[in-house]
Amino acid sequence: MDSPPLDYDFFMGEALNLAKEAAKLREVPIGCVIVYENKIIGSGMNMRNTKKCCLNHAELIAIREASEYMGDWRLEDCVIFVTLEPCPMCAGAIVSSRIKTAVFGARNPKAGSCGSIINLLQVERFNHQVEIVEGVRAGECSALLSEFFKGLRDG
């Protein structure tokens, strides 16, 4: 029996809530959830500064948690929702974990790897390609990032 269709606005809202939590920690506000059968099985927020490690991107934290939930590194029937277009490292992890669909809010003109600079999710020679859905709640995702960086500039 098929699951009901995913409510993209709802799940991106959950990712936005995580991004807001990251901002409270003075982290770049990026949030991510991974959904399997209409249930969040992994979540993460940017924690690079807090954890003092460049590997603590929201997507990688969420993938780790989802893999633990599934008991496998393969996340083939999962959808990842992230507030900002993934960077090359995270796009590589999304492909490697065989996530079915990547949904993101705001484009990332400086490191976007789902079409802004390069599209690593749909390289035909890779053994897996990921469906991309972009622009879900893009205005809110962009505004959150803009407000965060404005606050840093204004001191």
Side-chain angles (χ1 to χ4, degrees):
M1 185 166 160
D2 289 335
S3 296
L6 291 180
D7 183 339
Y8 284 17
D9 285 340
F10 172 79
F11 289 114
M12 187 60 75
E14 295 298 302
L16 274 161
N17 289 338
L18 289 164
K20 291 171 187 173
E21 290 299 314
K24 290 177 187 174
L25 298 173
R26 298 189 51 84
E27 293 279 1
V28 175
I30 301 168
C32 177
V33 297
I34 297 177
V35 177
Y36 175 70
E37 295 181 345
N38 262 315
K39 177 183 175 184
I40 294 173
I41 63 164
S43 62
M45 62 182 156
N46 187 30
M47 296 290 285
R48 288 185 312 174
N49 291 325
T50 302
K51 300 284 187 176
K52 306 291 186 227
C53 180
C54 71
L55 299 176
N56 284 294
H57 284 210
E59 299 95 323
L60 298 183
I61 294 167
I63 288 170
R64 187 176 302 115
E65 192 173 289
S67 294
E68 288 173 11
Y69 175 89
M70 296 292 277
D72 197 353
W73 60 268
R74 293 174 194 86
L75 302 175
E76 293 167 335
D77 293 319
C78 296
V79 178
I80 190 168
F81 291 82
V82 62
T83 56
L84 181 65
E85 179 183 4
C87 72
M89 175 176 66
C90 293
I94 291 166
V95 170
S96 293
S97 64
R98 299 190 180 149
I99 287 174
K100 178 181 167 185
T101 305
V103 180
F104 69 87
R107 280 202 160 233
N108 184 348
K110 294 186 178 189
S113 296
C114 302
S116 288
I117 294 174
I118 191 169
N119 183 353
L120 293 176
L121 297 187
Q122 297 176 331
V123 175
E124 288 183 19
R125 293 184 64 194
F126 286 167
N127 66 335
H128 179 73
Q129 291 78 42
V130 180
E131 177 187 8
I132 299 170
V133 177
E134 69 172 273
V136 176
R137 297 180 73 166
E140 292 169 81
C141 294
S142 294
L144 184 60
L145 287 158
S146 295
E147 290 167 21
F148 176 80
F149 286 115
K150 183 181 184 309
L152 289 181
R153 286 190 302 274
D154 294 347

PDB file of all heavy atoms in Angstrom, residues 22 24 42 98 137:
ATOM      1  N   ALA A  22      19.376  26.544  15.038  1.00  0.00           N
ATOM      2  CA  ALA A  22      20.792  26.745  14.728  1.00  0.00           C
ATOM      3  C   ALA A  22      21.165  28.225  14.863  1.00  0.00           C
ATOM      4  O   ALA A  22      22.214  28.551  15.416  1.00  0.00           O
ATOM      5  CB  ALA A  22      21.107  26.239  13.321  1.00  0.00           C
ATOM      6  N   LYS A  24      19.903  30.409  16.801  1.00  0.00           N
ATOM      7  CA  LYS A  24      19.994  30.751  18.224  1.00  0.00           C
ATOM      8  C   LYS A  24      21.359  30.395  18.799  1.00  0.00           C
ATOM      9  O   LYS A  24      21.812  31.014  19.772  1.00  0.00           O
ATOM     10  CB  LYS A  24      18.901  30.046  19.027  1.00  0.00           C
ATOM     11  CG  LYS A  24      17.508  30.573  18.762  1.00  0.00           C
ATOM     12  CD  LYS A  24      16.477  29.773  19.533  1.00  0.00           C
ATOM     13  CE  LYS A  24      15.071  30.165  19.152  1.00  0.00           C
ATOM     14  NZ  LYS A  24      14.068  29.294  19.796  1.00  0.00           N
ATOM     15  N   GLY A  42      15.211  11.292  10.529  1.00  0.00           N
ATOM     16  CA  GLY A  42      16.510  11.911  10.743  1.00  0.00           C
ATOM     17  C   GLY A  42      16.363  13.409  10.683  1.00  0.00           C
ATOM     18  O   GLY A  42      15.560  13.927   9.909  1.00  0.00           O
ATOM     19  N   ARG A  98      21.918   7.100  -1.422  1.00  0.00           N
ATOM     20  CA  ARG A  98      20.858   6.684  -2.348  1.00  0.00           C
ATOM     21  C   ARG A  98      19.482   7.220  -1.981  1.00  0.00           C
ATOM     22  O   ARG A  98      18.453   6.569  -2.193  1.00  0.00           O
ATOM     23  CB  ARG A  98      20.835   5.172  -2.513  1.00  0.00           C
ATOM     24  CG  ARG A  98      22.142   4.668  -3.093  1.00  0.00           C
ATOM     25  CD  ARG A  98      22.081   3.239  -3.504  1.00  0.00           C
ATOM     26  NE  ARG A  98      23.386   2.847  -4.041  1.00  0.00           N
ATOM     27  CZ  ARG A  98      23.889   1.638  -3.949  1.00  0.00           C
ATOM     28  NH1 ARG A  98      23.217   0.687  -3.343  1.00  0.00           N
ATOM     29  NH2 ARG A  98      25.065   1.360  -4.468  1.00  0.00           N
ATOM     30  N   ARG A 137       9.160  26.806  -0.020  1.00  0.00           N
ATOM     31  CA  ARG A 137       9.261  27.848   1.020  1.00  0.00           C
ATOM     32  C   ARG A 137      10.564  28.641   0.886  1.00  0.00           C
ATOM     33  O   ARG A 137      11.181  29.047   1.869  1.00  0.00           O
ATOM     34  CB  ARG A 137       9.088  27.234   2.402  1.00  0.00           C
ATOM     35  CG  ARG A 137       7.688  26.611   2.558  1.00  0.00           C
ATOM     36  CD  ARG A 137       7.407  25.987   3.879  1.00  0.00           C
ATOM     37  NE  ARG A 137       7.219  26.989   4.932  1.00  0.00           N
ATOM     38  CZ  ARG A 137       6.696  26.704   6.108  1.00  0.00           C
ATOM     39  NH1 ARG A 137       6.282  25.474   6.383  1.00  0.00           N
ATOM     40  NH2 ARG A 137       6.567  27.639   7.016  1.00  0.00           N
TER      41      ARG A 137
END
